[in-house]
Amino acid sequence: ADCRSCSAGHGREGVEVRILCQNVWNSFFAGGPQRMARLHALRDFVERHGVDVVVVQEMFCFGVGPMVDAGEAQGFGDMMAAYGLSYQTWPLATLPSFGQNSGLAVYSRYPLGGERHGVFEQRRGVSAKGWAEVIVEVPDMNIDGADPGRSRSLALMTTHLEHAHTEPWRQVRSAQVQQLAARARDIVAGDGAGAEGRLAAVLGDFNIGEHAPWCAGEYAALAAAMKSAGLEYDLFGMGP
């Protein structure tokens, strides 16, 4: 796990927000052993490092008609609330009548608004892979000379792209990148109320490695798609 901090404010003290993005590997089909033990370890990391916003992938729930298994998602939500991250997205928002939800969730110390979930047009069956988006309202986060004390917002998108690397699934992942970038472009352009002065970031498990030989060309395409949406900085390389 890794933490990134963002701060805003020029000429006066800004507010630092510590954000953690992590795939929690909580799959019903390939999640491995000791799922709750891993979630407890993640909670310990969050507390030890003073994280303000936790963004996760693979926090899966499973539904079969009216029956829902959301034990780990509920348990981790309770852990985060006890730590102080009481503003949380709804884990069942994308749950299908049969299968897994998107697995995407956000837990925040600051109020969340504008919660919205999207499902990729191209994806695997009995799944709801897509993206989740929220607006984190951070009090007194001053941006580019804005009025002191005025709240500003941070738009976050989280996603989990297709994982396989055979050519047909690479094409699926490419389509997912384009759909994600189109939505990010709308957000950066100011979709929704209160967009003035808003920061924006797209986080997640992209299943595309910058230096992985099996992802040749995909990383550059991802970076280009995000840049075309107005997201100039690549946090993998910590630069434009």
Side-chain angles (χ1 to χ4, degrees):
D2 187 20
C3 291
R4 300 288 188 184
S5 298
C6 68
S7 60
H10 298 278
R12 56 180 171 270
E13 184 178 357
V15 174
E16 182 179 82
V17 180
R18 294 180 64 81
I19 301 172
L20 170 69
C21 180
Q22 176 71 25
N23 184 323
V24 296
W25 197 33
N26 194 48
S27 170
F28 286 88
F29 303 109
Q34 300 181 330
R35 297 197 317 216
M36 281 305 299
R38 294 200 309 270
L39 293 178
H40 279 281
L42 179 59
R43 179 213 49 204
D44 293 343
F45 182 94
V46 167
E47 294 184 3
R48 190 164 63 253
H49 292 274
V51 178
D52 299 301
V53 181
V54 176
V55 180
V56 302
Q57 303 81 47
E58 292 201 20
M59 185 60 75
F60 286 121
C61 306
F62 192 88
V64 179
M67 297 181 293
V68 176
D69 185 344
E72 287 94 350
Q74 182 63 53
F76 189 72
D78 291 344
M79 291 183 216
M80 292 295 95
Y83 166 62
L85 307 189
S86 56
Y87 298 98
Q88 305 180 2
T89 54
W90 176 236
L92 303 183
T94 58
L95 189 70
S97 58
F98 176 75
Q100 293 185 144
N101 66 339
S102 69
L104 305 172
V106 179
Y107 312 87
S108 174
R109 187 180 310 282
Y110 303 106
L112 298 178
E115 179 179 344
R116 181 171 173 175
H117 301 262
V119 177
F120 290 130
E121 295 172 358
Q122 295 189 40
R123 63 188 190 278
R124 293 176 183 262
V126 300
S127 77
K129 270 195 173 181
W131 70 90
E133 59 189 72
V134 293
I135 306 298
V136 184
E137 300 291 349
V138 183
D140 301 320
M141 183 171 74
N142 300 315
I143 299 175
D144 291 334
D147 295 336
R150 183 178 177 186
S151 295
R152 284 296 185 270
S153 57
L154 170 63
L156 291 181
M157 295 182 70
T158 176
T159 190
H160 188 191
L161 303 183
E162 169 57 41
H163 67 274
H165 294 286
T166 59
E167 186 56 31
W169 289 116
R170 285 168 58 114
Q171 294 299 319
V172 169
R173 185 164 51 247
S174 177
Q176 293 173 350
V177 167
Q178 295 307 313
Q179 190 175 356
L180 183 69
R183 178 57 192 153
R185 188 175 301 112
D186 290 342
I187 292 175
V188 172
D191 182 24
E196 179 186 358
R198 178 180 296 165
L199 300 174
V202 177
L203 313 172
D205 182 351
F206 299 96
N207 279 305
I208 299 173
E210 183 176 8
H211 303 294
W214 55 86
C215 295
E218 285 193 80
Y219 186 86
L222 171 64
M226 293 296 105
K227 188 172 184 178
S228 74
L231 299 169
E232 294 288 335
Y233 291 90
D234 179 354
L235 295 182
F236 286 105
M238 291 303 290

